[in-house]
Amino acid sequence: EASTTEISRSVTEAASNTQTVTQNVGHVVEAIGTTAETARLVEAAADTVMSETRELERVIEAFLNRVAA
């Protein structure tokens, strides 16, 4: 009977640990999704900054050409 009790306790503990691991994996998957979305937002912001920088360079160059003429 002691062996049966020990086996039962071990199975219960393993099930609990499996549930904890499953929850932790879920948190990791959620964090990966958040990180991926943040990376997309940062990339979009960087693209916008690059585009605006190119436009600013174009406007400054045109201005300097007019001033020099």
Side-chain angles (χ1 to χ4, degrees):
E1 172 137 349
S3 295
T4 304
T5 302
E6 180 62 24
I7 290 170
S8 176
R9 188 190 65 71
S10 294
V11 167
T12 301
E13 185 177 336
S16 176
N17 290 340
T18 299
Q19 183 178 11
T20 299
V21 168
T22 300
Q23 289 171 345
N24 288 342
V25 168
H27 293 309
V28 169
V29 168
E30 183 180 330
I32 289 169
T34 300
T35 301
E37 178 60 23
T38 301
R40 283 189 289 276
L41 292 172
V42 168
E43 181 181 25
D47 288 345
T48 299
V49 168
M50 285 300 298
S51 177
E52 294 296 324
T53 299
R54 287 186 194 111
E55 177 62 17
L56 182 59
E57 286 174 342
R58 187 191 66 73
V59 169
I60 290 171
E61 185 176 339
F63 170 75
L64 292 176
N65 287 337
R66 281 194 307 269
V67 169

